[in-house]
Amino acid sequence: MPTAIIADDERLMRDQLRLRLNQAWPELEIVGEAKNGEEAIELVSQLKPDLTFLDIRMPGKTGMEAARAIGAGSNIVFVTAYDQYAVEAFERGAVDYVLKPPEAERLQVTVDRLKSRLAKPKEAVNDSVTAMLSQLAEKMAAPKPTYLQWIQASIGQDLRMIPVEEILFFRSDEKYTCVQTERFEALIRKPVRDLAEELDPALFWQIHRATLVNVNAIEGVTRDIRGRHLVLIKGKSDKLEVSRSFLHLFKQM
């Protein structure tokens, strides 16, 4: 009979997960519960469960820290509320996960995976888990990229320092790139392909090889009589063409 422990600092979450697991996997025996990472490590050492369900965020040692300490002592299943970064990483690796609150349909998928995993040699599974944890730790420790905060542009004979959040869009021709704000237009020599690498991609979308647009400035998208998709800019008459290769950006709109 497979065994497991549940570690979560919220009693309600532990009770919910225990109930759902009992429904999805009656043969699984929950042999202990922990309120934090330290207790989880201690229980794994004492009870040696096949599975350990670890909440990612707990007081004291987090689930991530507890997992590293547990290592090959148990198969780790992370429990998370909405940490999409972690969920994406777990989907690609050997570590499984359960979303809060646990839903029956999704939990059944996890149970099926775990049954399959427990049927494999323990060493192979734990090697995958250890490698996954190391990879995730490296990614989380990596420094966040820094993006341009200001653009130095020419207006006639003057140079102006423009905060990037005030810029509605950039549009290039063969020689210059136009910097359009709500109040004025300026010119720079840097091409859009370079700007696309230096600006925050969450703020500026490249919609054409020669155009970047501030997502906060987008009023909507329309089509012209030729079937081209055009971005409408708030408070402006400009219509910016969207290349086919960038249309996927607007599927969510």
Side-chain angles (χ1 to χ4, degrees):
M1 181 179 293
T3 58
I5 67 168
I6 298 173
D8 195 305
D9 60 319
E10 297 181 35
R11 178 59 183 268
L12 179 60
M13 284 293 109
R14 298 200 303 272
D15 290 346
Q16 273 194 319
L17 184 55
R18 178 188 281 269
L19 176 63
R20 292 293 192 187
L21 283 170
N22 183 57
Q23 294 169 342
W25 196 355
E27 300 82 11
L28 180 66
E29 182 181 4
I30 308 298
V31 294
E33 294 185 6
K35 299 187 294 294
N36 53 57
E38 288 90 344
E39 289 185 8
I41 295 167
E42 190 173 332
L43 281 179
V44 170
S45 178
Q46 292 174 358
L47 304 175
K48 296 180 171 46
D50 298 301
L51 302 166
T52 298
F53 290 85
L54 282 174
D55 184 18
I56 289 179
R57 294 176 179 172
M58 293 184 288
K61 283 189 183 299
T62 66
M64 295 294 294
E65 292 168 332
R68 294 189 190 101
I70 291 168
S74 182
N75 294 299
I76 304 298
V77 184
F78 284 114
V79 182
T80 178
Y82 41 77
D83 194 333
Q84 295 302 318
Y85 179 82
V87 169
E88 180 183 353
F90 304 152
E91 283 278 56
R92 294 197 304 267
V95 181
D96 229 310
Y97 71 92
V98 173
L99 283 175
K100 291 183 181 181
E103 296 181 357
E105 185 175 347
R106 177 61 182 86
L107 187 58
Q108 189 61 58
V109 173
T110 296
V111 166
D112 292 341
R113 289 177 181 173
L114 294 174
K115 287 180 178 179
S116 174
R117 190 168 291 168
L118 289 178
K120 298 177 182 178
K122 189 174 182 180
E123 293 77 10
V125 173
N126 285 321
D127 285 347
S128 297
V129 170
T130 302
M132 183 60 208
L133 287 171
S134 298
Q135 183 183 38
L136 183 57
E138 289 176 4
K139 288 185 177 181
M140 293 180 75
K144 294 183 179 180
T146 56
Y147 300 110
L148 286 179
Q149 301 297 312
W150 301 82
I151 295 292
Q152 181 175 289
S154 298
I155 304 177
Q157 299 300 315
D158 300 326
L159 284 178
R160 183 78 62 90
M161 295 296 291
I162 310 171
V164 295
E165 62 269 16
E166 294 183 8
I167 298 171
L168 304 178
F169 60 84
F170 297 89
R171 185 161 51 186
S172 292
D173 58 22
E174 294 182 0
K175 190 173 182 181
Y176 294 101
T177 294
C178 166
V179 181
Q180 183 67 58
T181 74
E182 187 176 345
R183 296 179 292 110
F184 57 83
E185 178 182 290
L187 297 175
I188 59 175
R189 290 184 177 273
K190 184 172 291 190
V192 159
R193 65 174 180 271
D194 291 345
L195 287 167
E197 295 178 357
E198 298 175 8
L199 291 164
D200 184 351
L203 180 60
F204 284 92
W205 287 356
Q206 183 167 9
I207 60 171
H208 188 279
R209 63 182 177 81
T211 311
L212 286 166
V213 62
N214 187 328
V215 296
N216 296 319
I218 296 175
E219 184 173 35
V221 182
T222 188
R223 284 189 181 185
D224 64 8
I225 58 174
R226 294 166 53 190
R228 296 180 305 170
H229 288 77
L230 304 173
V231 169
L232 307 177
I233 302 298
K234 295 176 182 177
K236 293 289 181 181
S237 59
D238 300 84
K239 296 180 181 180
L240 309 177
E241 183 178 354
V242 183
S243 297
R244 286 187 178 181
S245 55
F246 297 106
L247 282 176
H248 66 276
L249 295 170
F250 300 94
K251 288 183 179 180
Q252 58 189 309
M253 298 183 68

